[in-house]
Amino acid sequence: MKDSLEQGALKIIDTLLKHGYEAYMVGGCVRDKLLNRPVKDYDIATSALPERVERLFARTIPTGLQHGTVTVVIEGQPYEVTTFRKEDVYEDHRRPTEVQYIDSLNEDLRRRDFTMNAMAIDYEGNLLDPFHGTEDIRNGILRCVGEASERFQEDALRMLRCIRFAAEYRLVVEDQTWNALCEHAPLLKHIAMERVRMEMERMMAGASPNRAIELLSSSNVLQNSKVPLLIANMKRMTTLCDTSQLIHPLERWSYLYLVLGIEAVAVEEELRLMTFSKQQIDAVRLPIAAAAYLGSHLHDVSELNVREVERQWKLAAIQYGKESLQALVHILSLDGSGAQHAGVMVQVSSLCVNEGLRWLQEMPVDKLVGLHISGGDLIARIGAPAGPWVAKVLQQMLRETALGVIPNEKEVLLEKAEHYYKEHYSAGM
Ligand code: ATP
Ligand code: MG
């Protein structure tokens, strides 16, 4: 049974064939079909020039015209249709911005990175595999098309792709390919951090992040990024639990940085340089900051008691957000000593794993917006001009409410707030 995504691809190929052009499914979709993996998208290679492709289909988007790619939309689904091409002028170890169109499928396949990515399927379903990708797949081998050393020199991003594919598909990198990768590791400095980040994100979100980390580390590739990365010090991670057990990819990043003992501020800066979004950065750094908070507030073993751990845990939830503490529970469940560099003792860690989620659930409120008084209410009650005291008093009320010391009720809160204000602010004012 062909699904509708594949039927759309066949429709495009059929149209191109009827107009006298060659057209095939190529690249990742062919590989994934042979591996019986779900196909995310079908890419099509054709002898028709991009302008011709644009005229043949009702809905097209000129996605990458300079690379010969037109997106054709069939029943709402986008397909990348790319003219057979050669990439013979590589500049600065990156893929060229200009390409040369050719009329041979084989030549088009030759420019591709790995044998398993250099296969095509025609309209009838015949496999075209000039570089023996099927054989390599069968043997569990990842191999460059042609001379590996040249291929990595042409485009250094291929080194990261190699590691990603080897990890994701659990393949052994063929010797020459691996040696060439290690030899050309310094070329990674030519690749924009954004592209490095995109590959890293996929490795970390994939099926075998630990294997990716191992390969990154043993090849020294990441040590050569344009902007030096602390995460490249992976060799320091002697014990790393199976990161793939963490469901959320960003928790995997937090875990790595925690194990490496890198502080939240440095993590933030590094992820910014890697072009992660603000939202992603917060998701990674806040659990690390929360761990550091717990580490520094619960350091004296002799004084350690459950009540105090609970109190600090809840205060951390106010400061760093409940989601960050949830993430921390996941991380510490995976690796009880994962936050030891942040000062979190194993006893604290196991308490938080066992009780942390319940403590979070128990909290009647964890953010100022949930508090049943506002700054305006406070000013009206106390009758003092607005100032920094407002936020401070509100924060104190939030802490007390969150810890269950006082109920989240307007009248009680106002009374408490007034009392607190008089104690801390009115005397000197
Ligand atoms: P996935 O989408 O799962 O990453 P993919 O193989 O489809 O896998 P794409 O980046 O979508 O990867 O690229 C499509 C095809 O283009 C690849 O299968 C490969 O043939 C070719 N290709 C992509 N990037 C490169 C590259 N840097 N060098 C050579 N060929 C490449
Ligand atoms: Mg793809």
Side-chain angles (χ1 to χ4, degrees):
M1 260 298 285
K2 296 190 191 321
D3 60 18
S4 65
L5 197 61
E6 183 169 3
Q7 278 166 10
L10 289 170
K11 214 181 259 179
I12 294 172
I13 294 173
D14 185 44
T15 304
L16 288 161
L17 293 178
K18 286 199 171 118
H19 286 83
Y21 300 101
E22 281 183 63
Y24 306 86
M25 294 179 198
V26 284
C29 65
V30 179
R31 171 196 72 217
D32 289 338
K33 268 163 97 58
L34 290 179
L35 285 163
N36 280 321
R37 283 181 157 239
V39 174
K40 292 189 306 287
D41 43 40
Y42 284 88
D43 293 333
I44 291 157
T46 180
S47 57
L49 290 174
E51 305 80 69
R52 193 75 186 102
V53 174
E54 281 185 313
R55 273 185 280 125
L56 280 174
F57 297 93
R59 281 191 63 198
T60 61
I61 308 162
T63 7
L65 271 188
Q66 76 276 33
H67 297 110
T69 303
V70 175
T71 297
V72 174
V73 184
I74 303 284
E75 286 169 18
Q77 284 296 338
Y79 297 85
E80 290 201 345
V81 180
T82 306
T83 307
F84 295 157
R85 65 187 197 206
K86 203 156 98 178
E87 293 167 343
D88 48 4
V89 252
Y90 291 84
E91 258 176 59
D92 269 354
H93 311 285
R94 286 181 301 238
R95 295 173 86 189
T97 45
E98 271 180 36
V99 299
Q100 195 184 329
Y101 297 128
I102 50 177
D103 57 11
S104 144
L105 171 71
N106 268 15
E107 287 308 301
D108 180 88
L109 294 177
R110 191 187 298 284
R111 68 161 172 96
R112 293 171 186 268
D113 46 9
F114 304 104
T115 59
M116 68 171 190
N117 287 344
M119 301 181 283
I121 293 180
D122 70 11
Y123 186 76
E124 275 82 36
N126 302 307
L127 179 72
L128 296 106
D129 181 15
F131 305 102
H132 313 291
T134 350
E135 197 182 317
D136 283 340
I137 286 180
R138 201 181 314 118
N139 296 324
I141 286 175
L142 183 62
R143 184 198 308 267
C144 279
V145 174
E147 192 59 51
S149 178
E150 277 170 28
R151 309 319 307 278
F152 291 130
Q153 289 184 72
E154 287 165 356
D155 177 6
L157 187 75
R158 289 173 186 156
M159 301 189 292
L160 292 183
R161 285 174 61 86
C162 179
I163 290 175
R164 166 161 66 87
F165 286 124
E168 188 63 30
Y169 295 86
R170 298 173 209 277
L171 303 169
V172 173
V173 183
E174 176 269 334
D175 277 351
Q176 276 194 18
T177 300
W178 182 251
N179 292 338
L181 190 158
C182 295
E183 182 188 341
H184 295 297
L187 296 180
L188 193 72
K189 66 173 181 288
H190 296 283
I191 302 300
M193 288 312 283
E194 185 184 10
R195 305 187 72 195
V196 172
R197 190 255 304 155
M198 285 163 70
E199 284 298 327
M200 290 283 294
E201 262 191 289
R202 296 186 67 180
M203 287 180 210
M204 290 298 294
S208 309
N210 284 41
R211 173 133 155 80
I213 288 164
E214 198 183 295
L215 295 172
L216 284 171
S217 165
S218 55
S219 62
N220 276 340
V221 111
L222 208 54
Q223 280 86 335
N224 289 287
S225 55
K226 189 177 279 227
V227 176
L229 296 175
L230 295 166
I231 207 164
N233 287 325
M234 291 164 165
K235 285 212 170 88
R236 286 197 354 229
M237 295 189 293
T238 42
T239 52
L240 187 68
C241 294
D242 179 5
T243 316
S244 71
Q245 303 278 323
L246 294 168
I247 296 162
H248 302 291
L250 294 174
E251 291 180 1
R252 300 177 179 185
W253 286 86
S254 296
Y255 174 54
L256 281 194
Y257 282 113
L258 263 176
V259 173
L260 282 168
I262 299 168
E263 290 180 8
V265 181
V267 170
E268 178 176 10
E269 174 66 2
E270 171 146 319
L271 296 179
R272 201 179 52 74
L273 291 170
M274 283 178 92
T275 74
F276 275 93
S277 73
K278 174 95 178 65
Q279 222 181 353
Q280 289 173 308
I281 294 174
D282 282 346
V284 178
R285 94 183 153 87
L286 290 173
I288 298 170
Y293 173 93
L294 294 171
S296 64
H297 287 80
L298 297 165
H299 48 77
D300 192 345
V301 193
S302 60
E303 278 175 20
L304 199 65
N305 63 57
V306 179
R307 284 264 146 244
E308 184 54 11
V309 177
E310 176 182 348
R311 204 176 86 85
Q312 295 300 349
W313 178 261
K314 289 179 174 174
L315 292 176
I318 296 175
Q319 200 166 332
Y320 304 102
K322 276 186 174 176
E323 311 72 36
S324 313
L325 279 278
Q326 274 161 5
L328 194 54
V329 170
H330 301 153
I331 292 167
L332 296 177
S333 314
L334 171 71
D335 184 349
S337 50
Q340 64 178 6
H341 287 303
V344 180
M345 293 176 296
V346 183
Q347 304 96 301
V348 172
S349 165
S350 71
L351 252 178
C352 297
V353 167
N354 293 330
E355 309 293 341
L357 295 180
R358 188 173 60 79
W359 288 338
L360 293 177
Q361 265 170 11
E362 259 174 32
M363 292 171 69
V365 60
D366 60 295
K367 290 190 183 77
L368 277 184
V369 287
L371 203 61
H372 288 161
I373 49 165
S374 66
D377 296 334
L378 262 188
I379 294 166
R381 171 76 169 234
I382 291 168
W389 66 270
V390 180
K392 292 197 174 125
V393 176
L394 281 177
Q395 277 297 337
Q396 179 60 20
M397 294 307 108
L398 175 62
R399 281 193 288 269
E400 295 197 18
T401 318
L403 293 172
V405 178
I406 52 173
N408 190 9
E409 289 164 15
K410 190 165 178 177
E411 218 15 72
V412 183
L413 285 165
L414 282 174
E415 207 169 297
K416 263 279 181 185
E418 190 172 8
H419 189 73
Y420 183 82
Y421 174 83
K422 282 188 182 145
E423 220 170 67
H424 290 81
Y425 297 98
S426 67
M429 282 176 137

